[in-house]
Amino acid sequence: MHASPALLVFHPDQWDPARAEQVKAYSRTVTPVLIPSSDPRAARYGVAGRSAVVVADIDGEVVWRHISGNGALPNPAEVDAALAEIIEAHSTPRTGWSRREFVGTVLAAAFALALEPAMTRAEAAAMATSHAAPGVARPVTLHVNGREITLAIEPRVTLLDALREYAGLTGSKKGCDHGQCGACTVHVDGRRVLSCLTLAMAAQGKQVTTIEGLDDPMQQAFISHDGFQCGYCTPGQIMSATAVVREPWGPTDDDVREAMSGNICRCGAYVGIVEAIQQVRHGGAAGPQ
Ligand code: FES
Ligand code: FES
């Protein structure tokens, strides 16, 4: 049997059974190996106690990985692309291997145990090259919700994708991805920005706050005034609303509507949203319960 590319999925001990089904979608060519993150192998990969997906090549070198802060799974297309890259690299006249030969192969446990990666090949390359070419991942350090996180990402990755897809912070929503809906609003150095229009690299050295890191009376005010229905727009609405309180807008409801005009709510919860913001701005009592 040929050694095969490795697809390792590290997961919490208590795991939604549906997730095991989801990881089957990662690849049509390689069988994912599920490993509890309490297993000693997780420590070898630097992901003890965390959720992570790792792709390693047939030489045992880790070429791609996704580490999640909250259990968010990576995009299956990215995983499959990483595997396809390995298979392509070894489908040479020298080996004569084909993509089909990898179908259904199962990783040998000894192979996985032999690996002790600290970072992926892409991460290592990025570390070694301060002016990496476009398309090459490089380390980007962000300060998010009071914590420093370093991600290996391409220069083109937006702050929104860095937060959602790489850091596992999915509270910021992707509505339009074109700067038109406000669902992705976060704070950078205390000012609201559209994270879908902001490159992650541009946020280096700045303080990023997402809805996960917010502790503000506005959150209770939205609940008290029914400032949401489905909730999809709500993280962006609240991040904008807390910024509006600090911005020099006029005192009326119309001023609030103008200030919040960049945040779209498809459910039409605008009445409650304006009430919530006005309550916080003017320090009023909680609204209808
Ligand atoms: Fe950023 Fe819509 S997702 S503005
Ligand atoms: Fe549903 Fe705003 S609450 S989109």
Side-chain angles (χ1 to χ4, degrees):
M1 184 179 105
H2 292 306
S4 76
L7 176 52
L8 309 179
V9 180
F10 295 96
H11 60 84
D13 292 335
Q14 304 297 326
W15 212 37
D16 183 346
R19 291 269 164 145
E21 287 300 311
Q22 291 171 7
V23 300
K24 290 179 181 174
Y26 283 165
S27 174
R28 297 183 302 279
T29 56
V30 175
T31 304
V33 177
L34 276 58
I35 303 171
S37 53
S38 58
D39 188 288
R41 283 172 289 182
R44 293 188 177 203
Y45 283 85
V47 295
R50 305 176 72 183
S51 298
V53 176
V54 172
V55 173
D57 69 12
I58 64 172
D59 297 318
E61 188 172 356
V62 173
V63 297
W64 185 92
R65 71 178 178 180
H66 169 99
I67 299 176
S68 170
N70 65 354
L73 292 170
N75 184 338
E78 290 185 32
V79 180
D80 205 35
L83 288 164
E85 186 179 324
I86 297 171
I87 293 169
E88 184 71 22
H90 290 275
S91 297
T92 64
R94 180 175 62 82
T95 65
W97 296 348
S98 69
R99 185 180 180 95
R100 190 165 59 85
E101 285 182 279
F102 288 109
V103 173
T105 55
V106 178
L107 174 74
F111 173 70
L113 283 165
L115 306 177
E116 295 192 26
M119 61 178 58
T120 70
R121 180 191 296 159
E123 290 168 344
M127 290 290 184
T129 310
S130 59
H131 298 290
V136 175
R138 65 183 68 184
V140 171
T141 299
L142 300 174
H143 293 84
V144 183
N145 300 333
R147 290 180 52 202
E148 184 177 288
I149 55 174
T150 299
L151 308 170
I153 56 178
E154 296 180 29
R156 62 179 175 165
V157 172
T158 65
L159 179 58
L160 178 60
D161 282 344
L163 293 169
R164 288 182 56 84
E165 309 299 334
Y166 293 84
L169 294 168
T170 54
S172 306
K173 301 302 184 222
K174 181 180 284 189
C176 65
D177 209 19
H178 285 87
Q180 296 180 349
C181 73
C184 64
T185 305
V186 300
H187 294 175
V188 175
D189 281 349
R191 302 184 66 173
R192 52 178 170 164
V193 304
L194 297 174
S195 60
C196 73
L197 296 185
T198 304
L199 291 175
M201 294 186 69
Q204 289 186 108
K206 300 176 180 177
Q207 298 296 326
V208 178
T209 305
T210 70
I211 191 71
E212 289 94 339
L214 192 72
D215 182 11
D216 191 280
M218 191 66 72
Q219 291 153 295
Q220 181 57 53
F222 265 62
I223 294 171
S224 300
H225 291 277
D226 287 335
F228 54 88
Q229 288 184 36
C230 78
Y232 194 82
C233 73
T234 308
Q237 298 278 4
I238 291 177
M239 296 309 290
S240 263
T242 53
V244 164
V245 171
R246 298 192 292 265
E247 294 170 4
W249 293 93
T252 69
D253 288 359
D254 277 347
D255 292 321
V256 171
R257 292 187 189 97
E258 176 63 24
M260 293 293 292
S261 60
N263 287 80
I264 308 301
C265 175
R266 63 189 172 188
C267 296
Y270 296 111
V271 172
I273 291 171
V274 172
E275 288 177 357
I277 295 171
Q278 289 293 56
Q279 177 201 311
V280 174
R281 292 178 89 207
H282 300 303
Q289 299 296 314

